[in-house]
Amino acid sequence: MRKRNRLSAQAYIDGVLRGDRVILSQAITLVESALSTDQVLAEEVMDAVLPHAGKSIRIGITGVPGVGKSTFIEKFGWLVIEQGYKLAVLAVDPSSQSSRGSILGDKTRMEKLSIDKRAYIRPSPSGTTLGGVSARTREAMLLCEAAGFDVVFIETVGVGQSEIAVKGMVDFFLLLMLAGAGDELQGIKKGIIEMCDALVINKADGENKETAKRAKREYANALHLFPAKESSWYPKVTTCSGLSGEGLPEIWQMIQKYRDLVSRNGFFEFNRAEQRANWMQEHVKYLLETNFYNDMAIKEDLNESLADIKSGKVSAIKKARALVQLFMNQIKPK
């Protein structure tokens, strides 16, 4: 049965399209739900709002822990809305793998932005999703666009191999770094630096200014070693202070130049089209995995054999193949 607090599909659709922030939040909660009844309702809502989405500039923002992402977003976001844009911030918080808890503290760290009607901040737990972004972040982004937000920030959990997923849902990927923290690469994997469109050294203020300038030169030299991007854009390295706001107007201008370039050369729409195809493929995987683990026969077989797998009596690979075969046999037409 549908939960009592769920609206009709049309109520969600109408509310989102007229920019009702309360219904927008409820619609995002709906698409985040793992309940099968909610997922069916969410698909109906998404189908209806999809033609009204896609008109924003999508910006991914990531960086090492302690780099000041929330402070940067607070100040940068304020600059964006002061120029007449409506901003949605999808801030994905870390979830505990043991308790499944989540900090969800971005609203408290972005006090000024969170109370402005031109901005909408939505924290979502990342859970176990590969990529550190909520399984439904894409749908949340599309809902925000349909509600009239023309700039979307996606703040990710941190930097690691899994964070690469955010690149697959944004137009511009911004990597925040620190200067003077020991090793200049700070454990950042080559692949993440390679895929960024801008590398921004934050906290370039006070005594850190000179250190940040040196780091900027080193990063700029390093980026020259990477091959040219398919977009024909050469990644830029710059400095800023999320605290004072220095350097932020130049970053916004840089993003505008990027959008102008990729719109002219056709890469903007090419990239969006590739992302849509990838999203479909990823959702197929998600649906298969969900149906597999929710299948009663699979659950029973797993429970009975888990102890033998853990002890090494049964081969994990052999058992995996047997479980998949069991699942396939059940869905084959009689």
Side-chain angles (χ1 to χ4, degrees), residues 120-229:
Y120 174 81
I121 299 175
R122 174 72 184 204
S124 299
S126 60
T128 58
T129 310
L130 180 64
V133 281
S134 174
R136 301 298 185 178
T137 299
R138 296 187 188 96
E139 285 86 351
M141 176 177 67
L142 295 171
L143 285 167
C144 288
E145 291 177 341
F149 293 93
D150 43 16
V151 179
V152 179
F153 291 171
I154 300 180
E155 177 195 359
T156 63
V157 171
V159 168
Q161 199 60 39
S162 64
E163 302 306 312
I164 294 172
V166 75
K167 175 68 174 176
M169 66 176 76
V170 298
D171 305 310
F172 190 91
F173 187 76
L174 192 152
L175 174 61
L176 288 175
M177 300 288 279
L178 288 171
D183 178 10
E184 289 301 342
L185 291 181
Q186 301 164 41
I188 302 296
K189 296 185 183 297
K190 176 186 174 184
I192 294 177
I193 292 181
E194 191 173 9
M195 71 185 183
C196 74
D197 298 302
L199 194 156
V200 177
I201 301 160
N202 194 23
K203 301 186 179 180
D205 42 37
E207 295 179 356
N208 288 330
K209 264 193 172 182
E210 289 305 315
T211 311
K213 286 180 182 178
R214 288 196 299 272
K216 176 183 175 180
R217 289 192 295 269
E218 291 177 17
Y219 283 127
N221 290 335
L223 284 176
H224 279 305
L225 301 175
F226 292 115
K229 287 179 173 285

Side-chain angles (χ1 to χ4, degrees), residues 36-66:
S36 58
T37 52
D38 283 347
Q39 289 178 3
V40 171
L41 182 59
E43 286 178 11
E44 186 177 348
V45 173
M46 292 306 303
D47 279 346
V49 303
L50 196 58
H52 304 274
K55 299 178 180 68
S56 78
I57 176 76
R58 304 164 180 171
I59 303 166
I61 302 173
T62 191
V64 294

Side-chain angles (χ1 to χ4, degrees), residues 136 138-139 276-292 327:
R136 301 298 185 178
R138 296 187 188 96
E139 285 86 351
R276 288 189 285 268
N278 289 335
W279 296 353
M280 185 273 293
Q281 292 169 1
E282 288 180 19
H283 199 61
V284 168
K285 294 175 186 177
Y286 166 77
L287 291 173
L288 285 172
E289 183 179 8
T290 302
N291 280 283
F292 177 85
F327 184 67

